[in-house]
Amino acid sequence: MAKVTVHRKAHFNAAHRLYNSDWSDDRNATVFGKCANPHYHGHNYELIVAVKGEINPTTGFVMDMKELKDLIAEEIEEKLDHKNLNEEVEAFKSLNPTAENIAVVIWNILRKKIDLNLELIVTLYETPRNFVVYDGE
Ligand code: NI
């Protein structure tokens, strides 16, 4: 049976600050630039969740897109949208909320909810030009 990748786009706004608490303010500013601003700043994150697998002969779907939409809304948008990632999201209390780490956190949440016969790939845009991809490796 043919393998097809289905994609669902989603969106959330969130604030963050990138810093390493073991470093001085100067070193944080050097490494993270404006993202080290102690007063936080926001991004409009664009999320693309890709699910790859064989088409189910009964439904003609790889995955029911309504189910994927609801999953992303409940498990990701609800938890991250309009949040201060450092202060309000447990995963980032001890993990720098870079695009890389946010993508891994999102993947880990969704992986538990999607059929293991399906591959999962998370793409996260932090800006229109900067994006990361995580596929579980
Ligand atoms: Ni930033």
Side-chain angles (χ1 to χ4, degrees):
M1 183 58 81
K3 278 197 173 183
V4 175
T5 309
V6 299
H7 298 78
R8 171 76 193 174
K9 285 181 170 181
H11 177 84
F12 58 92
N13 302 314
H16 76 168
R17 180 195 181 198
L18 301 183
Y19 71 105
N20 183 326
S21 58
D22 293 337
W23 296 350
S24 67
D25 288 350
D26 277 355
R27 186 162 178 206
N28 273 295
T30 301
V31 173
F32 297 118
K34 287 180 179 173
C35 277
N37 177 0
H39 302 291
Y40 302 97
H41 62 279
H43 290 283
N44 295 314
Y45 291 95
E46 294 287 347
L47 172 65
I48 301 170
V49 176
V51 176
K52 182 178 181 181
E54 291 186 357
I55 299 173
N56 179 323
T58 312
T59 60
F61 294 155
V62 171
M63 179 176 178
D64 184 334
M65 293 303 267
K66 167 80 165 59
E67 192 188 320
L68 184 58
K69 174 192 171 190
D70 290 346
L71 192 57
I72 295 167
E74 285 162 25
E75 298 293 334
I76 307 301
E77 290 169 313
E78 181 76 14
K79 290 176 181 170
L80 303 184
D81 190 39
H82 284 76
K83 294 289 167 62
N84 177 318
L85 299 178
N86 304 73
E87 299 279 337
E88 297 181 275
V89 179
E90 193 60 39
F92 302 113
K93 297 228 161 113
S94 57
L95 183 68
N96 223 8
T98 58
E100 291 90 328
N101 282 330
I102 298 168
V104 172
V105 165
I106 290 171
W107 189 94
N108 285 331
I109 292 169
L110 294 177
R111 184 66 281 183
K112 295 188 185 82
K113 307 277 181 175
I114 292 172
D115 187 335
L116 287 172
N117 291 318
L118 301 171
E119 290 175 48
L120 173 65
I121 305 110
V122 165
T123 302
L124 184 70
Y125 283 77
E126 190 171 73
T127 73
R129 292 172 188 273
N130 293 345
F131 65 98
V132 302
V133 179
Y134 183 59
D135 66 3
E137 267 183 44

